[in-house]
């Protein structure tokens, strides 16, 4: 395998410019290796490119990060600590008017204020009244969760259950397989049939695409299962526009056909699974026959039968296996955990795992034996004033946490301090109106550590400036490939920005925490996370991987055991499973239930709403940059709907429409077309303060979503949302 030259990895000076190896830290499966060119004289970054030596990045970047210099050097960066001016109420600020509400202070002032307030709140209400709120602004090991976790553990703050993205799917895969392993993207090139199931590969996972294209050049077919006609769907051989929330039924119907027509792999099933007889009886029930499933999934019976046959016979007929790219789309739904479990069982029936390029890929994150215990110090909770593990607050219920928690004594105290970092909570959390009602409370002390004046920043008492990945060092795995990488610091921090590690070790010092772990440097933390727990069965996969080697080589592949053919084939035999039975778990059998919020139970709000991610933003990140807005201009302020739903409502293209339910209301411009089928409407996630909501209420799509949790894993259910749409009254 080609390696990038050492001088690239080290960022050594070699004339007018130097090239530094870094890693894109955004919450994307691709974790691209990037090369940043820095001008030695000015210290400024002048260029970013994909690392040509990285086998998955292959020298190209997505559109949003290719324009990253616009983000790093944006004139809108938050570069200094600030505090809310006395007497200014919390609430949305027009973009560019933030300094009406905030004034610059020194880091010492900011940190002293935070430490004093957290101490007095802890003394008065107990430490659990302090709530950290973070997600994946960076997925570097250190930036995502290291010193911050130590700090909040030692403080005794409420623990945050980080469920907003992937917890239902994660729990599903763990229940079936016991460990999250999957074929790497490179192996997709060897597949004969690729199913993208709730996976917008073109938008969200672009570095998988070249391997799919390679497979297709060799005869493979791509089938996309998605209620929305994504670019991925439009480019596929077949697009099945499934009704939202019905994936478990489709998977059961595929099983039904496979078992009815005896297309399963009996020897593999006997050797590797547990509960097959029960699953077989369940799948063969008449309600799972294609004719029955068709009515509910919206996919006709012949198509279901054809897909089941293609899926189960690809290996025999083409000599190449079938692979499912199951992404997180299907599990953002009330019964999404069950759906993900059902889909995950399919290759256990056919034995696709026995062939390189076959199986199912949700996430490969379980391949990295990072030592998170040493990094995050959960035992420090025992040294907190509580002396026990603190209560757990589910991040998908932030609205509830900020508005009603503490009303019942058994809940523990109300939230009195909120510390947000790595997240634009006010934009991305469901049930936005409840979230904002909570954030507006003037008895809530809020700290926000950010790169920009986001929706969340508008509610801060204290603002702290955060770095981009150009300005800090980290180490990173991936959830979509199998390379460990170090991200070197390319440029000096702009203004007075400080990274997540620095902020929390400074705060720990001010709070009087004397444990040695609060003095660990960035390099110490990297070394710790690269030293797996000795009892971790995956520990050998990090053999020979240490900081020095990563700094030299940039990216290093995990050291997997290989079979006689030189292949690593997870779940090809029973030795790979980590479930209680030691086998692939087919029980409890997945039972399909339509979501409460779906057409099956439609009432006053009959339309299924997809509050979607934008191809050229990263959740709400990038939404504020003019360059990125231009790339996404087609989706700005738009509600996509089907003519069947527009006509009876008297809506024509370009009309202003109100989209509403019992939780909220936003106003967008109707766009009638083929992106969604009848009964479904869709709009994109955005910064609320940009004003794309034409009603002027300063909301975004999450004003409509609910805090209902998934069936397993306690996840968010963005894609189980019912709404009604009405032509907006004409302006007076
Ligand atoms: N450009 C870009 N890339 C991103 C992100 C981004 O915001 N923008 N976000 C990143 C993050 S945080 C994540 S978690 C990953 C997520 O990547 P994906 O898992 O691909 O996430 P989604 O876009 O939420 O969902 C994928 C598709 O599922 C479809 N879908 C919705 N409901 C259903 C359903 O009931 N059944 C089926 N079959 N499909 C359904 C949606 O229409 C969508 O096209 O992407 C990451 N990459
Ligand atoms: N309607 C709807 N809502 C959704 C989704 C959806 O598809 N539809 N997707 C959900 C999903 S899958 C996810 S993962 C969540 C994502 O939710 P978030 O993780 O909150 O995602 P972002 O909107 O990208 O906000 C991340 C913020 O972190 C900041 N940041 C970046 N690096 C750093 C750093 O080093 N330090 C600090 N302190 N801050 C930093 C960025 O500036 C950015 O504002 O959103 C969820 N919400
Ligand atoms: S967002 Fe994803 S595709 Fe784009 S550069 Fe980052 S890791 Fe690569
Ligand atoms: Mo996510």
């Amino acid at each position: 395998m080609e390696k990038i030259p050492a001088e690239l990895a080290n960022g050594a000076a070699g004339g007018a410019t130097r090239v530094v190896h870094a890693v894109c830290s955004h919450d994307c499966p691709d974790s691209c290796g990037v090369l940043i060119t820095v001008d030695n004289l000015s210290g400024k970054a002048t260029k970013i490119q994909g690392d040509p030596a990285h086998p998955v990045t292959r020298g190209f970047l997505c559109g949003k990060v290719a324009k990253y210099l616009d983000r790093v050097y944006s004139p809108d960066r938050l570069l200094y600590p600030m505090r809310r001016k006395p007497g200014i109420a919390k609430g949305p600020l027009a973009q560019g008017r933030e300094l009406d509400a905030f004034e610059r202070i020194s880091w010492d002032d900011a940190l002293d204020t935070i430490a004093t307030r957290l101490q007095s709140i802890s003394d008065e209400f107990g430490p659990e009244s302090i709530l950290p709120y973070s997600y994946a602004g960076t997925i570097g090991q250190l930036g995502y969760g290291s010193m911050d976790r130590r700090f909040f553990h030692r403080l005794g703050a409420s623990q945050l259950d980080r469920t907003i993205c992937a917890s239902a799917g994660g729990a599903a895969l763990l229940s079936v397989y016991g460990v999250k392993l999957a074929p790497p993207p490179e192996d997709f090139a060897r597949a004969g049939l690729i199913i993208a199931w709730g996976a917008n590969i073109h938008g969200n996972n672009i570095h998988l695409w070249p391997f799919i294209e390679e497979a297709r050049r060799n005869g493979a077919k791509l089938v996309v299962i998605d209620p929305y006609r994504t670019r991925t769907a439009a480019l596929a051989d077949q697009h099945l526009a499934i009704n939202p929330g019905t994936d478990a039924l489709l998977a059961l119907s595929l099983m039904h056909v496979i078992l009815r027509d005896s297309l399963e792999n009996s020897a593999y099933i006997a050797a590797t699974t547990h509960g097959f007889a029960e699953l077989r009886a369940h799948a063969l029930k008449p309600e799972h026959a294609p004719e029955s499933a068709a009515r509910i999934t919206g996919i006709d019976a012949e198509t279901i039968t054809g897909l089941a046959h293609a899926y189960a016979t690809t290996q025999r007929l083409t000599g190449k296996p079938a692979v499912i790219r199951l992404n997180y789309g299907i599990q953002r739904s009330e019964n999404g955990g069950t759906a993900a479990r059902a889909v995950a069982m399919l290759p256990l029936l056919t034995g696709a795992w026995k062939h390189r390029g076959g199986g199912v890929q949700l996430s490969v994150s379980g391949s990295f034996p990072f030592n998170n215990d040493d990094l995050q110090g959960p035992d420090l909770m025992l040294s907190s004033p509580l002396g026990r593990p603190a209560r757990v607050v589910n991040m998908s219920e932030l609205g509830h946490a900020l508005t009603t928690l503490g009303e019942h004594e058994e809940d523990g105290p109300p939230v009195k301090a909120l510390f947000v970092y790595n997240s634009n909570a006010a934009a991305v959390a469901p049930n936005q109106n409840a979230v904002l009602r909570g954030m507006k409370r003037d008895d809530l002390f809020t700290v926000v550590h950010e790169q920009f004046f986001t929706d969340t920043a508008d509610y801060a008492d204290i603002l702290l400036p955060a770095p981009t990945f150009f300005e800090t060092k980290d180490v990173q795995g991936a959830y979509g490939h199998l390379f460990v990488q170090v991200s070197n610091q390319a440029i000096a921090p702009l203004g007075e920005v400080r990274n997540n590690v620095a902020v929390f070790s400074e705060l720990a010092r001010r709070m009087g925490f004397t444990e040695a772990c609060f003095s660990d440097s960035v390099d110490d933390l990297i070394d710790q996370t690269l030293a797996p727990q000795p009892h971790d069965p995956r520990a050998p996969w990090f053999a020979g991987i240490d900081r020095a080697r990563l700094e030299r080589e940039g990216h290093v592949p995990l050291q997997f055991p290989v079979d006689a053919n030189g292949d690593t084939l997870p779940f090809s035999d029973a030795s790979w499973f980590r479930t209680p039975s030691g086998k692939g778990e087919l029980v409890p059998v997945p039972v399909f239930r339509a979501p409460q919020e779906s057409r099956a139970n439609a009432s006053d709000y009959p339309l299924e709403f997809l509050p979607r991610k934008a191809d050229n933003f990263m959740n709400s990140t990038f939404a504020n940059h003019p360059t990125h807005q231009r790339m996404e201009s087609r989706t700005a302020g738009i509600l996509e709907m089907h003519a069947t739903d527009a006509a009876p409502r008297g809506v024509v293209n370009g009309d202003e429409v109100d989209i509403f339910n019992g939780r909220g209301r936003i106003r967008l411009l109707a766009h009638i077309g083929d992106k969604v089928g009848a009964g479904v409407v869709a709009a994109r996630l955005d910064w609320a303060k940009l004003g794309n909501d034409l009603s002027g209420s300063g909301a975004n799509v999450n004003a409509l979503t609910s805090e209902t949790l998934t069936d397993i894993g306690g996840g968010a259910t963005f894609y189980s949302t019912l709404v009604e749409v009405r032509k907006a009254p004409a302006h007076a």
Side-chain angles (χ1 to χ4, degrees):
M1 189 175 305
E2 216 188 339
K3 288 278 159 8
I4 56 166
E7 65 270 21
L8 295 189
N10 292 333
T17 60
R18 63 184 187 276
V19 176
V20 181
H21 177 273
V23 187
C24 174
S25 62
H26 288 284
D27 186 1
C28 170
D30 299 1
S31 285
C32 290
V34 304
L35 302 179
I36 302 168
T37 305
V38 182
D39 181 82
N40 281 330
L41 206 58
S42 65
K44 272 193 86 168
T46 56
K47 186 177 166 192
I48 178 168
Q49 65 188 114
D51 183 352
H54 189 295
V56 177
T57 308
R58 291 179 153 195
F60 78 96
L61 299 175
C62 65
K64 48 200 177 300
V65 173
K67 307 261 185 339
Y68 214 70
L69 296 180
D70 290 351
R71 181 169 177 86
V72 176
Y73 295 113
S74 163
D76 303 330
R77 279 284 298 274
L78 169 64
L79 294 176
Y80 305 97
M82 305 218 165
R83 76 162 164 229
R84 178 169 297 279
K85 290 180 185 170
I88 304 276
K90 298 174 182 181
L93 298 161
Q95 225 193 349
R97 304 296 306 188
E98 289 88 356
L99 296 189
D100 294 351
F102 292 101
E103 61 193 2
R104 185 172 164 184
I105 52 173
S106 69
W107 268 103
D108 277 338
D109 274 355
L111 294 168
D112 287 343
T113 306
I114 296 168
T116 310
R117 288 296 302 271
L118 293 185
Q119 190 62 60
S120 68
I121 288 169
S122 174
D123 292 345
E124 189 176 350
F125 300 97
E128 287 168 310
S129 63
I130 300 166
L131 180 68
Y133 198 89
S134 76
Y135 200 62
T138 164
I139 59 169
Q141 280 290 108
L142 276 48
Y144 177 77
S146 60
M147 202 58 89
D148 54 316
R149 305 293 207 273
R150 291 178 182 179
F151 175 77
F152 289 114
H153 288 151
R154 174 65 181 76
L155 193 62
S158 287
Q159 302 186 73
L160 187 71
D161 195 4
R162 291 175 171 80
T163 57
I164 204 161
C165 169
S167 60
L173 267 283
L174 290 181
S175 82
V176 179
Y177 291 95
V179 54
K180 286 190 275 179
L181 306 179
E186 298 94 314
D187 282 2
F188 277 60
R190 299 168 178 244
L193 172 68
I194 297 156
I195 301 179
W197 201 321
N200 179 12
I201 295 166
H202 230 270
N204 300 351
N205 180 199
I206 187 66
H207 291 83
L208 181 58
W209 190 254
F211 301 107
I212 292 177
E213 281 295 278
E214 190 180 333
R216 294 174 86 188
R217 279 196 299 278
N218 295 323
K221 293 276 180 280
L222 172 66
V223 179
V224 171
I225 304 173
D226 194 316
Y228 186 89
R229 193 162 177 82
T230 59
R231 273 256 299 257
T232 320
L235 291 167
D237 297 287
Q238 195 179 14
H239 173 207
L240 310 186
I242 191 171
N243 291 332
T246 65
D247 301 86
L249 181 57
L250 177 60
L252 284 161
S253 195
L254 296 177
M255 293 181 196
H256 181 98
V257 177
I258 291 170
L259 298 170
R260 181 194 68 193
D261 299 347
S262 305
L263 299 173
E264 75 273 24
N265 183 335
S266 306
Y268 177 81
I269 291 170
T272 64
T273 69
H274 171 242
F276 175 66
E278 218 176 307
L279 179 67
R280 183 170 195 282
H282 177 64
L284 287 174
K285 287 179 181 163
E287 67 255 37
H288 300 137
E291 295 70 26
S292 317
R295 279 196 304 279
I296 294 169
T297 60
I299 301 169
D300 60 64
E302 303 81 80
T303 305
I304 296 175
T305 307
L307 181 61
H309 283 192
Y311 179 72
T313 60
T314 297
Q315 176 69 35
R316 185 151 44 76
L317 298 181
T318 70
K320 291 184 238 166
V323 68
I324 299 172
R325 174 53 167 139
L326 172 62
N327 213 334
Y328 289 106
I330 75 167
Q331 52 98 64
R332 307 192 202 294
S333 184
E334 286 172 28
N335 300 311
T338 298
R341 273 203 319 119
V343 174
M345 288 174 186
L346 288 168
L348 293 177
L349 299 186
T350 62
W353 291 109
K354 291 180 71 69
H355 309 280
R356 196 155 160 198
V360 58
Q361 187 200 68
L362 176 62
S363 166
V364 302
S365 61
S367 306
F368 297 86
F370 288 119
N371 184 337
N372 286 326
D373 273 1
D374 280 6
L375 200 60
Q376 304 185 343
D379 289 349
L380 287 163
M381 281 189 286
L382 305 179
S383 324
S384 76
L386 290 175
R388 58 163 170 85
R391 75 167 170 201
V392 177
V393 172
N394 186 326
M395 75 182 300
S396 301
E397 298 177 308
L398 179 62
H400 159 72
L402 295 181
T403 55
T404 53
L405 197 61
E407 280 175 4
H408 306 286
E409 196 166 333
E410 65 273 19
D411 293 344
V415 176
K416 288 289 183 177
L418 177 68
F419 200 129
V420 187
Y421 57 105
N422 284 346
S423 177
N424 185 6
V428 304
N431 199 5
Q432 185 177 44
N433 287 324
V435 171
L436 298 186
R437 211 163 51 243
M439 286 190 174
K440 269 201 193 91
R441 282 170 38 202
D442 48 20
D443 68 324
L444 179 72
F445 174 66
T446 300
V447 181
V448 177
H449 185 214
E450 248 303 342
Q451 299 168 348
F452 288 91
F453 291 100
T454 59
D455 289 327
T456 312
D458 289 349
Y459 293 82
D461 291 288
I462 301 281
L463 276 172
L464 304 174
T468 64
F469 70 82
F470 280 34
E471 298 153 85
T472 187
K473 182 176 182 181
D474 212 323
V475 66
Q476 197 168 312
Y479 59 101
H481 66 62
L482 299 175
F483 295 86
V484 196
Q485 301 182 79
V486 78
S487 189
N488 293 292
Q489 182 178 334
I491 59 173
L494 301 190
E496 293 182 358
V497 308
R498 290 191 189 171
N499 65 32
N500 297 7
V501 171
V503 166
F504 290 101
S505 43
E506 276 297 320
L507 276 175
R509 200 168 58 77
R510 281 180 166 75
M511 300 291 295
F513 301 162
T514 51
E515 289 83 355
C517 69
F518 290 109
S519 318
D520 284 339
S521 68
V522 162
D523 281 346
D524 293 335
L525 293 169
I526 293 177
D527 294 343
Q528 289 163 20
T529 192
L530 287 173
Q533 307 278 11
H535 55 76
D536 185 337
R538 305 162 305 165
W541 302 353
F542 264 180
I545 301 179
D546 59 17
R547 180 162 53 86
R549 178 160 173 218
L550 288 171
E551 285 169 353
R552 218 166 41 241
E553 300 180 19
H555 62 268
V556 177
L558 294 172
Q559 305 300 305
F560 290 114
V562 292
D563 65 16
N565 302 317
D567 295 332
T568 304
L569 292 176
F571 313 120
S572 54
D573 61 42
S575 69
W576 289 85
F577 295 87
R578 295 284 173 272
T579 54
S581 70
K583 292 191 167 178
E585 283 297 349
L586 305 177
V587 283
V589 296
V591 176
F592 168 69
R593 285 189 196 88
Q596 271 306 310
E597 287 208 32
S598 71
R599 65 185 71 195
N601 303 300
S603 54
D604 292 348
Y605 311 113
L607 298 170
E608 291 168 333
F609 180 53
L610 299 177
R612 296 170 40 79
K613 301 172 189 301
D615 285 1
N616 296 292
F617 304 157
M618 172 63 59
N619 300 308
S620 83
T621 300
F622 300 108
N624 57 319
H625 302 303
T627 30
H628 296 76
Q629 288 166 354
R630 275 195 292 278
M631 293 193 281
E632 272 299 332
S633 56
R634 191 193 62 77
T635 62
I638 293 290
L639 181 78
E640 290 170 308
M641 55 192 311
H642 191 267
T644 310
D645 299 314
R649 291 172 175 80
V651 171
V652 299
N653 234 345
D655 273 351
E656 286 190 18
V657 285
D658 285 324
I659 306 108
F660 59 97
N661 59 22
R663 292 175 292 268
R665 172 186 303 264
I666 55 174
R667 184 171 296 179
L668 300 171
L669 294 174
H671 187 274
I672 300 159
D674 69 345
K675 290 281 190 270
V676 288
V680 180
V681 293
R684 80 166 193 218
L685 176 62
D686 215 333
W687 272 22
K689 65 192 278 186
L690 298 177
N692 283 322
D693 167 18
L694 299 169
S695 75
S697 71
N700 72 7
V701 289
N702 279 324
L704 299 163
T705 56
S706 82
E707 294 176 76
T708 303
L709 301 179
T710 50
D711 50 352
I712 54 173
T717 55
F718 297 106
Y719 295 151
S720 293
T721 300
L722 284 175
V723 298
E724 178 54 294
V725 173
R726 189 184 297 147
K727 199 171 144 110
H731 292 290

